[in-house]
Amino acid sequence: MVTRLEEPIEIPRQWYNIVPDLPAKLPPVLDPQTRTTADKKLLHRTFIGELARHEYSGERFIPIPEEVRQVYSIWRPTPLVRARHLEEALHTPARIYYKNETGSPPGSHKANAAVAQAYYAAKEGIERLVTSTTAGQWGTALAFGCSIFGVKCTIYMSRSSYEGKPYRKDLAEGWGAEIFSSPSRRTAVGREILKKDPNGPGTMSIAKSEALEDARSDPDARNAVGSIMNFVLATQTVVGEEAIAQLRGLDDYPDMVVGCVGGGSNFSGIFWPFYRDGVAKKGPKRVQFLGAESSAAPKLTKGEYIYDHADIMRTSPLFKMYTVGHTFVPPVVHTGGLRVHGTAPTLSLLRSRGVIDAVAYNQLEAIEAASFFARTEGVLPAPETAHAIRAVIDEAKRCKSSGEKKVILFNLCGHGLLDIEAYREFNSGKMKANDADPAEIKKSIAEVKALYPWLYQ
Amino acid sequence: MVTRLEEPIEIPRQWYNIVPDLPAKLPPVLDPQTRTTADKKLLHRTFIGELARHEYSGERFIPIPEEVRQVYSIWRPTPLVRARHLEEALHTPARIYYKNETGSPPGSHKANAAVAQAYYAAKEGIERLVTSTTAGQWGTALAFGCSIFGVKCTIYMSRSSYEGKPYRKDLAEGWGAEIFSSPSRRTAVGREILKKDPNGPGTMSIAKSEALEDARSDPDARNAVGSIMNFVLATQTVVGEEAIAQLRGLDDYPDMVVGCVGGGSNFSGIFWPFYRDGVAKKGPKRVQFLGAESSAAPKLTKGEYIYDHADIMRTSPLFKMYTVGHTFVPPVVHTGGLRVHGTAPTLSLLRSRGVIDAVAYNQLEAIEAASFFARTEGVLPAPETAHAIRAVIDEAKRCKSSGEKKVILFNLCGHGLLDIEAYREFNSGKMKANDADPAEIKKSIAEVKALYPWLYQ
């Protein structure tokens, strides 16, 4: 007997934009100075023009430029894999599928967004893109994209990752990017923070402030971002669009779609198209969407849905989002990509409406699951992805108890070949859970509210 | 206008065996003791039964078990990519395509063979596979395959790589394998070599001897191999079969197929199906097959086509192959996978008949080309693959001079994410060419001939 393993499909021709299908209008982005909707010009001064336009677009579909599809063809379409060996090892009646996004040159789904940003930057004559990265998945992805399209690339990488993940730094440099440990002495923000705490590990929020300052001080540069913004999340929907087509070929459909959540880009990339499918059918909620976050930055499970800045220096406008507060410094964990205080406004709105479920795991729980996955399914996951895998395994175990033949789909959004240290530390027994301190979260959220009392009356 | 980037295809259902299509019978494998054809029982005592049967099979096609295809579906079919950015950067009229084999969980084409060997081992109740690896691409691939099918895995890794590529070692351990620096104290061979030279870098040949001794001393173990043997090369033909189908969808066909050559597995995997195509057409030689080897172990360009052992302890029988002699110790280079003294008997026969062309590059020439490729096409190649890329770039430059619109296909057989040291060393200007000493090669070949004068009269 010959098994249908995967239906051959083409690379999608359009990205999907969830905004017109949201259950409510997205709360406006606010300028804390004027207390009104933030000036769209600011967006255009900060980001690539075409993408700033996408941010506010009411169009459901955005055509993918052929030059971008051509670069996608280096690793796309990505396999949709039935995790049969994992199912067998868990003795679960659940059917588990994953999109294998690990084959991109930098090793994660971040390449989907990076190629789009580098392409539009080159097209608009922008000479340099400046960005921030924590674990380095986004930074290396942007370096990759910029290298192809001949755009200069500057990366601020949280010190904890810069020192802990030297391969990612070397890789970005290999693609011609310049990369700096954040906080750095290159920006006023960095210098100020170093003065207060010369040995701090850095955070995504600090790195973001440095990147913004650098980009805004150079008229030929723009800020590139790896998550949070609508225009970034939209470029990740190639993952979900492919999954829908591939599952159709197998006559299957998920009951649950799972992704890990930092800023929300990989999770949104896989679930948005299934959400649209549900909206189109106008039926009862068919698919459960589950975001798995890190207990070191648990905005969806322990944060609040309030207006907050995206960066520690409050240079970004205010976004309404689930946040643990922009002054909160998450404990250092190997899952750098999830160490971010707030999550995407679109994801946050859906969470506030009960469309999204969430669960938080610490790094021990996540890496344990990822090790099990690596030994059964053969792919070594990035520590971020490990959180989604933990959620999937827990659900599959519940199915074992209940006998439910649930179909679970998740995004295996990155490999861990350059995160071997995390596995080494886990195996040595020295890894700590490093959960966030609830009192610190409370304090940080109170600080945000105290800044803008007019918003929280 | 919408470009056809890739024709969606399925994972192949059979491996191709070149043996019945060779221009002559393969010279017999000889037992130096009896001076006659080696006992097939030895093959069965050493290797997995089903694969030992494949080794002598006259069947043109071998069905791929569904369980193997299911594991292949984690990363296969792999993309066929048109290297447009490279073409543009070189201003060449040539059309350059590559098969992107970098998406496999261990990061190279070696996974194609490893999955097959682990599957058959499990099916035959073999408890443990023992192997040798230099750069670690094969070792990690076998660890990956064994992990999935629940087979124990023991790896002997040349000391130079064991110490120089710690991530590969960790990765193999992450998949549950045990891995030892070779020469080791675990085998009589290793102990003897350590006595003579306690600080030697090790070679593929030494590691192979240790793996053979270990496997033969345990009735529940067998030797797994990553190249050279027909049965290994056959399992790599999924690469070429997919390429044929994908190019057919694009109405294109190569004038030249290029691969780097160590033992010959990735090169054979991509060119065999095109060779069959040519045989079937009975026309004039249509496609040029070019093997790019390392100048540190230049058997195809500087070696001789003679009978030689596969390992330094002469425990293997004698294969007729292009060799620089089994006592030759190649200079240490970053292209560990090409540091092997002899190449596949099938490839050697074809080379002796003029079906295969060959070229040798040193690591400076190779890494320079790979860096250029990484910055134009975005994929960071493994140092081994870099040799094929150098050959492709040189050919594309010749096409620029001649105006020829040659279609060049090559196998991008592995990524360099875990070989960052090679790029770092190259960029620092400290890398040396490390060509083999021709006098040493001459001496080593003379030693082989002196051992078996009855063979070389």
Side-chain angles (χ1 to χ4, degrees):
Chain A
M1 199 209 64
V2 157
T3 319
R4 273 199 308 171
L5 295 167
E6 184 189 312
E7 192 67 12
I9 57 157
E10 289 203 328
I11 296 166
R13 301 190 184 279
Q14 40 194 15
W15 291 303
Y16 166 57
N17 172 22
I18 202 173
V19 172
D21 291 328
L22 286 174
K25 217 170 162 316
L26 269 180
V29 177
L30 296 181
D31 181 332
Q33 262 71 51
T34 63
R35 300 190 180 192
T36 58
T37 299
D39 185 0
K40 284 190 186 180
K41 278 185 198 152
L42 177 69
L43 205 72
H44 284 268
R45 275 201 308 276
T46 308
F47 301 111
I48 299 153
E50 180 65 22
L51 294 169
R53 274 187 293 281
H54 289 181
E55 189 65 13
Y56 288 111
S57 171
E59 292 296 315
R60 194 166 271 116
F61 295 103
I62 304 159
I64 305 177
E66 281 307 301
E67 293 89 338
V68 171
R69 290 185 74 233
Q70 209 268 323
V71 178
Y72 280 173
S73 79
I74 295 173
W75 75 98
R76 308 207 71 85
T78 65
L80 175 83
V81 188
R82 171 87 181 268
R84 284 181 197 273
H85 294 91
L86 178 65
E87 292 171 16
E88 280 163 26
L90 295 171
H91 304 287
T92 180
R95 292 198 293 286
I96 304 172
Y97 292 94
Y98 64 90
K99 272 297 270 184
N100 183 358
E101 289 291 306
T102 67
S104 82
S108 84
H109 72 291
K110 292 289 186 191
N112 299 323
V115 169
Q117 293 184 40
Y119 165 76
Y120 285 119
K123 203 179 163 197
E124 294 175 17
I126 295 163
E127 286 179 13
R128 187 168 67 102
L129 287 177
V130 188
T131 200
S132 51
T133 195
T134 39
Q137 294 273 25
W138 167 246
T140 51
L142 190 70
F144 153 73
C146 285
S147 172
I148 290 179
F149 289 108
V151 176
K152 284 183 203 159
C153 180
T154 303
I155 304 165
Y156 292 88
M157 186 179 197
S158 317
R159 183 198 215 140
S160 57
S161 294
Y162 187 89
E163 291 174 358
K165 295 177 188 284
Y167 272 53
R168 287 253 163 73
K169 168 187 153 303
D170 289 338
L171 189 55
E173 286 175 343
W175 276 311
E178 53 176 10
I179 180 163
F180 303 104
S181 175
S182 167
S184 81
R185 304 213 162 276
R186 301 186 83 241
T187 64
V189 174
R191 287 188 294 272
E192 197 183 314
I193 290 167
L194 283 173
K195 210 185 294 170
K196 284 185 217 156
D197 181 8
N199 299 311
T203 64
M204 173 59 108
S205 178
I206 296 169
K208 202 170 277 186
S209 288
E210 292 204 81
L212 272 171
E213 180 184 326
D214 182 342
R216 284 180 182 161
S217 66
D218 175 358
D220 297 322
R222 290 291 182 282
N223 183 220
V225 284
S227 196
I228 304 275
M229 308 289 288
N230 302 343
F231 72 75
V232 182
L233 275 44
T235 52
Q236 292 294 352
T237 56
V238 286
V239 180
E241 298 293 357
E242 289 180 5
I244 283 191
Q246 287 164 322
L247 282 167
R248 190 183 298 130
L250 299 173
D251 289 326
D252 218 339
Y253 202 84
D255 298 300
M256 182 185 236
V257 178
V258 183
C260 64
V261 176
S265 85
N266 94 78
F267 181 39
S268 299
I270 196 163
F271 93 75
W272 279 13
F274 290 95
Y275 172 84
R276 178 191 66 222
D277 232 23
V279 169
K281 283 181 188 126
K282 288 181 183 152
K285 194 180 96 173
R286 267 203 67 185
V287 182
Q288 187 187 356
F289 302 121
L290 178 65
E293 63 183 3
S294 164
S295 67
K299 50 259 173 197
L300 288 177
T301 53
K302 301 243 169 81
E304 286 190 33
Y305 184 45
I306 57 174
Y307 270 102
D308 194 5
H309 291 285
D311 69 317
I312 198 161
M313 294 313 285
R314 301 163 194 151
T315 49
S316 89
L318 293 165
F319 299 93
K320 191 158 184 192
M321 58 182 176
Y322 274 89
T323 178
V324 287
H326 65 270
T327 61
F328 179 75
V329 179
V332 173
V333 283
H334 282 279
T335 57
L338 309 186
R339 269 187 83 226
V340 46
H341 69 275
T343 194
T346 47
L347 190 66
S348 297
L349 174 67
L350 291 169
R351 168 79 174 143
S352 76
R353 297 287 175 126
V355 178
I356 304 294
D357 295 321
V359 61
Y361 293 109
N362 66 46
Q363 57 177 353
L364 285 169
E365 295 164 325
I367 298 293
E368 182 192 24
S371 297
F372 187 75
F373 185 82
R375 294 204 181 187
T376 49
E377 281 296 311
V379 185
L380 191 81
E384 290 82 3
T385 315
H387 293 68
I389 293 172
R390 175 67 192 232
V392 169
I393 290 178
D394 282 359
E395 186 66 27
K397 284 179 178 171
R398 276 189 288 272
C399 289
K400 190 189 165 191
S401 307
S402 68
E404 201 182 349
K405 289 180 182 168
K406 201 173 257 193
V407 179
I408 307 168
L409 167 69
F410 76 99
N411 196 3
L412 186 71
C413 63
H415 66 59
L417 295 186
L418 302 183
D419 304 282
I420 295 282
E421 291 88 355
Y423 289 89
R424 209 184 281 156
E425 194 178 313
F426 177 79
N427 289 325
S428 73
K430 285 178 193 154
M431 183 179 271
K432 298 213 164 38
N434 286 1
D435 296 307
D437 178 349
E440 288 292 321
I441 292 176
K442 213 174 152 187
K443 192 179 130 205
S444 175
I445 289 175
E447 278 172 15
V448 174
K449 290 184 175 173
L451 275 171
Y452 309 111
W454 49 274
L455 263 172
Y456 305 106
Q457 280 156 358
Chain B
M1 198 212 63
V2 158
T3 319
R4 272 199 309 168
L5 295 167
E6 185 189 312
E7 192 65 13
I9 57 156
E10 288 204 327
I11 297 166
R13 300 189 186 279
Q14 40 194 16
W15 292 303
Y16 167 55
N17 172 22
I18 202 173
V19 173
D21 290 329
L22 287 174
K25 216 169 162 317
L26 271 179
V29 178
L30 295 181
D31 182 331
Q33 261 73 50
T34 64
R35 299 190 180 192
T36 59
T37 300
D39 184 1
K40 286 190 186 178
K41 277 184 199 153
L42 177 68
L43 205 72
H44 284 268
R45 275 201 308 274
T46 308
F47 301 111
I48 298 153
E50 181 65 22
L51 295 168
R53 273 187 293 280
H54 290 180
E55 188 65 12
Y56 288 112
S57 171
E59 292 296 315
R60 195 166 270 116
F61 295 103
I62 304 158
I64 305 178
E66 281 306 303
E67 292 88 341
V68 171
R69 289 185 74 233
Q70 209 268 325
V71 177
Y72 280 173
S73 79
I74 296 173
W75 75 100
R76 307 207 72 85
T78 65
L80 175 82
V81 188
R82 172 86 181 270
R84 284 181 196 273
H85 294 90
L86 178 66
E87 292 171 17
E88 281 163 26
L90 295 172
H91 304 287
T92 179
R95 293 200 292 287
I96 304 172
Y97 293 95
Y98 64 89
K99 271 297 270 185
N100 183 359
E101 290 290 307
T102 66
S104 82
S108 84
H109 72 291
K110 292 289 186 189
N112 299 323
V115 170
Q117 293 185 39
Y119 165 76
Y120 285 119
K123 203 179 163 199
E124 294 176 16
I126 294 162
E127 286 180 12
R128 186 168 69 100
L129 287 177
V130 188
T131 201
S132 51
T133 195
T134 40
Q137 294 272 25
W138 167 246
T140 50
L142 190 69
F144 153 72
C146 284
S147 172
I148 290 178
F149 290 107
V151 177
K152 285 183 201 157
C153 180
T154 304
I155 304 165
Y156 292 88
M157 186 181 199
S158 317
R159 182 196 213 143
S160 58
S161 294
Y162 187 90
E163 290 173 358
K165 294 177 189 287
Y167 272 54
R168 287 254 163 72
K169 169 188 150 307
D170 289 339
L171 190 53
E173 286 176 342
W175 275 312
E178 53 176 10
I179 181 162
F180 303 103
S181 175
S182 168
S184 80
R185 304 214 161 274
R186 300 187 83 243
T187 64
V189 174
R191 288 187 294 271
E192 198 184 313
I193 289 167
L194 283 173
K195 210 185 292 171
K196 285 185 215 155
D197 181 8
N199 299 313
T203 64
M204 174 57 107
S205 178
I206 296 169
K208 203 169 276 186
S209 289
E210 291 203 83
L212 273 172
E213 181 185 326
D214 181 342
R216 284 181 181 160
S217 66
D218 175 359
D220 296 322
R222 290 291 183 282
N223 183 219
V225 285
S227 196
I228 305 274
M229 307 291 286
N230 304 342
F231 71 75
V232 181
L233 276 45
T235 52
Q236 292 294 352
T237 56
V238 285
V239 179
E241 298 294 356
E242 288 180 5
I244 284 191
Q246 286 163 324
L247 282 166
R248 190 183 298 130
L250 299 172
D251 288 326
D252 218 339
Y253 202 84
D255 299 301
M256 184 185 234
V257 177
V258 184
C260 63
V261 176
S265 85
N266 93 79
F267 182 40
S268 300
I270 196 163
F271 92 77
W272 279 14
F274 290 95
Y275 172 85
R276 178 191 65 221
D277 233 22
V279 169
K281 280 176 191 133
K282 288 180 184 151
K285 193 180 96 172
R286 273 202 61 184
V287 183
Q288 187 187 355
F289 302 120
L290 179 64
E293 62 182 4
S294 164
S295 68
K299 51 260 171 195
L300 289 176
T301 55
K302 301 244 168 81
E304 286 190 32
Y305 184 47
I306 57 174
Y307 271 102
D308 194 4
H309 291 285
D311 70 315
I312 198 162
M313 294 312 285
R314 301 163 194 152
T315 48
S316 89
L318 293 165
F319 298 94
K320 191 160 185 192
M321 59 182 176
Y322 274 89
T323 178
V324 287
H326 65 271
T327 61
F328 178 76
V329 179
V332 173
V333 283
H334 283 279
T335 56
L338 308 186
R339 270 186 84 226
V340 46
H341 70 275
T343 194
T346 48
L347 190 67
S348 298
L349 173 68
L350 291 167
R351 168 77 173 145
S352 76
R353 297 286 176 128
V355 177
I356 303 296
D357 296 322
V359 61
Y361 293 110
N362 66 46
Q363 58 177 353
L364 285 169
E365 296 165 323
I367 298 292
E368 183 192 23
S371 298
F372 187 76
F373 184 83
R375 292 203 182 188
T376 48
E377 281 295 313
V379 185
L380 190 81
E384 291 81 4
T385 315
H387 293 69
I389 292 172
R390 176 66 193 233
V392 169
I393 289 178
D394 282 359
E395 186 66 27
K397 285 179 177 169
R398 276 189 289 274
C399 290
K400 190 190 168 191
S401 307
S402 68
E404 200 181 351
K405 291 181 180 166
K406 202 173 256 192
V407 178
I408 306 168
L409 167 69
F410 76 98
N411 195 3
L412 185 73
C413 63
H415 67 60
L417 297 186
L418 302 183
D419 303 281
I420 295 282
E421 291 88 356
Y423 289 89
R424 209 185 281 158
E425 194 178 311
F426 176 80
N427 289 326
S428 73
K430 285 180 192 153
M431 183 180 272
K432 298 214 163 42
N434 287 1
D435 296 306
D437 178 348
E440 287 292 321
I441 292 176
K442 214 174 150 187
K443 193 180 128 203
S444 174
I445 290 176
E447 278 172 12
V448 174
K449 289 183 175 174
L451 275 171
Y452 308 111
W454 49 275
L455 263 173
Y456 306 105
Q457 278 155 0

